[in-house]
Amino acid sequence: MERCIITVVGKDKVGIIANVCTYLADNQINILDISQTIVQDFFNMMMIVDVVKVDKPFETVVSELKKLGEDIGVNVRLQHEDIFNRMHRI
Amino acid sequence: MINFFEVNETNKMIDQENLDVRTITLGINLLDCSDSNLEELKKKIYNKITTTARDLVKVGKEIETQYGIPIVNKRISITPISLVAHFDNEEAYVSIAETLDKAAKEVGVNFIGGFSALVSKGMTRSDRMLMNSIPKALAKTERVCSSVNVGSTKTGINMDAVKMIGRIIKETAVLTQDKDSIGCAKFVVFCNAPDDNPFMAGAFHGVTEYDAVINVGVSGPGVVKKALESARGADFGELCETIKKTAFKITRVGQLVAMEASKKLGIPFGIIDLSLAPTPAIGDSIADILEEIGVEYAGAPGTTAALALLNDQVKKGGAMASSYVGGLSGAFIPVSEDQGMIKAATIGALTIEKLEAMSCVCSVGLDMVAIPGDTKETTISGIIADEMAIGMINQKTTAVRIIPVIGKKVGDSAEFGGLLGYAPIMPVNPYSCDRFIARGGRIPAPIHSYKN
């Protein structure tokens, strides 16, 4: 298992989750956990995903997700979970 | 389990508060390149650098994408050239500098440090040749950085070298006067220089190091400033606690990047330099932190105490985040690279004398200070001697990176571009130290150096 974090932030609209999840399914990225809130019309989602089966290079997935976000008007970011583990856990 | 709040906090630090890893510096030992034939030597140096650092920039970019954290600079430090090359003419050293520049361009790093000499006690012939070649070497190259260690607590201060450097700085300024004397921004004088410093212009690969090593310098003044905003009005205990926690988080990111780079390049990890390093960007300033702590401008009464506190807390927080901490570690106070410092120097709140006092309690010393172009060589040597003395007596690293901007005077400002920023020309004490510098010789090591 190789866990990564996807964050999606932007103005709420119909189909954000569907778009992101379709991309993940198409690329064999498994979703382990999702949490999502709407704060003052702003859509905030965090997903923990497993990227072990994806066959594209990591930077391609990062840029494709970014592009997908731009197309639907939100900010999508994929990062390896280690940065959060290191920063916030002793 | 990672939670939403933590992920948001990290990403906010990166997006809005300028959190970055300032530099991955690959140290390369060049001692095995030594050769009495100049062409052979240059070939060996070029080959060793371009082979060892071949993947440095690529790996740096990979790590950036993997964690979503910007890594601003990828750099190289090398064994001080005066230890590798032994020639009878200065031109040979200039051509070595040009080879280094070419190698740096080939592998895509923005600076290569180590056109250096270590002369804290005495100068060899190659030290002297290299030092004399510095003005030309810096004028003819773009990415080469140079440094000279002129003193240490154990040896005292080599005043012959200090005297020479006054002239060298002046010559460098003249040779690069068309670009606001930028050559001087690539040259540092040290006392007690560390062997593992990843920050330019003073980086070199010391003789105590591995064949090759990865050192990482972290940054993040903006993050500390932001954290302190939430502690406004709190007492010093709470203030320190806030800085410590933030420094811990920043350093952990550096540690992660360092370990990953070391793994991917197959080169051992050396140290994390847990420093707060500013940039000229708004919101990435040490002076802003000092103001947040409670002084009106950097340089106002209270500044030295505020800086001492900041520096100490950064080290305390960072020390827990990485077991191998080294380099200079603390808070940098360059003038031209820090928006708040530029502002303070422009209005006269910050003077060279106050900077000197501040350097007693923090990393480095007089850094990126622009002074009038007609400042005398001996005055520059005098300023250097003062700063070196602080380092020698207090058993700490101090440095001077001072730029006499040819053709400019107090009231003007000098533009260095990019990360080097811009600076107002600061007034220099007009009284002479000619007779002091003319003495030459060596200032003996202080009594507390005899610890055996």
Side-chain angles (χ1 to χ4, degrees):
Chain A
M1 187 168 316
E2 196 182 347
R3 303 204 317 175
C4 288
I5 309 291
I6 291 175
T7 43
V8 183
V9 182
K11 193 124 177 61
D12 192 25
K13 61 189 268 192
V14 174
I16 298 175
I17 298 181
N19 265 293
V20 175
C21 290
T22 307
Y23 176 87
L24 299 183
D26 290 347
N27 288 283
Q28 293 293 306
I29 297 172
N30 191 28
I31 301 168
L32 306 170
D33 191 14
I34 298 185
S35 61
Q36 184 255 311
T37 54
I38 306 270
V39 186
Q40 288 174 341
D41 272 358
F42 263 86
F43 177 90
N44 265 277
M45 177 166 73
M46 181 184 92
M47 288 172 156
I48 301 177
V49 297
D50 179 11
V51 295
V52 81
K53 283 195 191 144
V54 65
D55 47 11
K56 290 175 185 168
F58 194 80
E59 49 266 39
T60 312
V61 181
V62 170
S63 61
E64 284 179 356
L65 273 170
K66 189 163 175 269
K67 172 78 179 35
L68 184 150
E70 282 161 8
D71 292 346
I72 55 174
V74 291
N75 192 343
V76 184
R77 184 198 299 247
L78 170 72
Q79 287 156 289
H80 200 280
E81 72 161 349
D82 277 357
I83 186 166
F84 307 108
N85 281 333
R86 290 299 173 103
M87 261 179 109
H88 301 281
R89 301 281 180 276
I90 292 177
Chain B
M1 183 65 96
I2 294 162
N3 70 45
F4 203 85
F5 174 77
E6 290 166 346
V7 169
N8 269 347
E9 186 190 2
T10 301
N11 287 340
K12 213 172 91 203
M13 284 179 180
I14 297 169
D15 290 338
Q16 293 163 28
E17 297 158 18
N18 297 317
L19 174 66
D20 55 40
V21 168
R22 181 52 51 89
T23 177
I24 301 183
T25 303
L26 171 61
I28 305 174
N29 170 33
L30 294 184
L31 284 173
D32 57 351
C33 296
S34 202
D35 199 304
S36 56
N37 179 311
L38 178 62
E39 291 311 312
E40 274 301 308
L41 171 88
K42 287 198 293 189
K43 206 162 82 190
K44 284 189 202 167
I45 289 179
Y46 183 83
N47 288 342
K48 178 134 192 204
I49 293 173
T50 49
T51 340
T52 318
R54 195 179 45 222
D55 295 329
L56 176 65
V57 173
K58 189 181 93 187
V59 162
K61 287 200 176 128
E62 269 172 33
I63 298 172
E64 273 181 282
T65 333
Q66 197 171 350
Y67 300 114
I69 176 98
I71 301 169
V72 185
N73 298 300
K74 292 93 187 170
R75 292 171 170 173
I76 294 172
S77 66
I78 51 166
T79 309
I81 288 295
S82 78
L83 302 178
V84 180
H86 308 273
F87 295 101
D88 263 340
N89 61 84
E90 292 162 33
E91 286 309 314
Y93 289 90
V94 176
S95 72
I96 293 169
E98 286 172 321
T99 305
L100 296 175
D101 205 37
K102 210 169 90 189
K105 283 176 183 155
E106 169 67 28
V107 295
V109 295
N110 60 352
F111 281 125
I112 182 163
F115 194 73
S116 308
L118 311 174
V119 297
S120 53
K121 198 167 182 185
M123 282 181 270
T124 64
R125 201 167 51 160
S126 60
D127 289 332
R128 206 178 279 274
M129 287 292 165
L130 180 129
M131 285 165 70
N132 281 328
S133 77
I134 288 172
K136 262 196 197 157
L138 292 181
K140 283 191 166 179
T141 59
E142 194 187 317
R143 306 186 188 192
V144 174
C145 289
S146 174
S147 60
V148 178
N149 187 50
V150 297
S152 78
T153 301
K154 285 284 182 191
T155 61
I157 303 170
N158 183 342
M159 288 303 289
D160 288 329
V162 170
K163 184 178 170 185
M164 262 175 86
I165 283 169
R167 173 178 56 78
I168 288 166
I169 289 181
K170 215 44 202 290
E171 277 178 29
T172 308
V174 171
L175 289 180
T176 53
Q177 60 180 304
D178 55 326
K179 289 188 200 134
D180 275 354
S181 302
I182 198 169
C184 300
K186 297 183 284 176
F187 175 72
V188 190
V189 200
F190 273 112
C191 179
N192 290 323
D195 277 3
D196 53 10
N197 162 28
F199 287 105
M200 294 297 169
F204 63 82
H205 184 77
V207 288
T208 57
E209 293 286 322
Y210 305 77
D211 266 327
V213 68
I214 293 286
N215 295 329
V216 164
V218 297
S219 175
V223 182
V224 174
K225 159 83 166 68
K226 206 75 195 170
L228 287 184
E229 281 173 15
S230 66
R232 216 168 258 180
D235 72 359
F236 284 107
E238 199 181 323
L239 178 77
C240 291
E241 198 59 27
T242 310
I243 301 173
K244 244 179 2 187
K245 281 184 190 150
T246 315
F248 173 83
K249 290 179 183 174
I250 298 170
T251 311
R252 291 283 277 201
V253 175
Q255 172 80 11
L256 172 67
V257 167
M259 295 315 285
E260 200 62 29
S262 163
K263 198 170 76 193
K264 287 189 171 181
L265 288 166
I267 290 172
F269 156 64
I271 55 106
I272 298 287
D273 190 312
L274 46 102
S275 290
L276 295 183
T279 66
I282 305 277
D284 207 15
S285 152
I286 304 293
D288 283 357
I289 299 177
L290 300 174
E291 288 175 18
E292 186 57 45
I293 293 177
V295 298
E296 191 178 358
Y297 288 102
T303 303
T304 311
L307 183 60
L309 167 165
L310 171 67
N311 210 50
D312 188 49
Q313 300 312 315
V314 167
K315 287 182 191 169
K316 284 176 177 161
M320 171 116 178
S322 170
S323 290
Y324 296 101
V325 168
L328 300 163
S329 291
F332 285 90
I333 49 166
V335 177
S336 77
E337 299 170 9
D338 184 317
Q339 195 54 47
M341 298 288 274
I342 296 169
K343 185 180 65 187
T346 310
I347 62 164
L350 189 62
T351 60
I352 291 183
E353 287 72 17
K354 184 66 177 180
L355 275 171
E356 186 184 313
M358 286 160 76
S359 72
C360 299
V361 298
C362 83
S363 302
V364 196
L366 296 177
D367 197 14
M368 292 303 285
V369 175
I371 56 171
D374 60 1
T375 309
K376 287 204 295 186
E377 284 172 19
T378 47
T379 301
I380 295 173
S381 292
I383 293 172
I384 293 171
D386 283 343
E387 194 60 51
M388 299 298 107
I390 290 172
M392 174 182 76
I393 297 292
N394 296 297
Q395 311 185 49
K396 74 189 288 291
T397 306
T398 49
V400 174
R401 183 159 52 147
I402 198 163
I403 305 146
V405 186
I406 304 298
K408 297 211 167 161
K409 52 185 194 314
V410 177
D412 296 339
S413 109
E415 180 71 50
F416 308 115
L419 268 184
L420 297 172
Y422 66 98
I425 309 291
M426 294 172 78
V428 171
N429 188 313
Y431 297 98
S432 164
C433 61
D434 286 3
R435 287 197 304 123
F436 177 75
I437 297 301
R439 285 179 189 275
R442 181 155 55 97
I443 295 179
I447 186 73
H448 57 248
S449 70
Y450 306 127
K451 280 180 188 161
N452 280 315

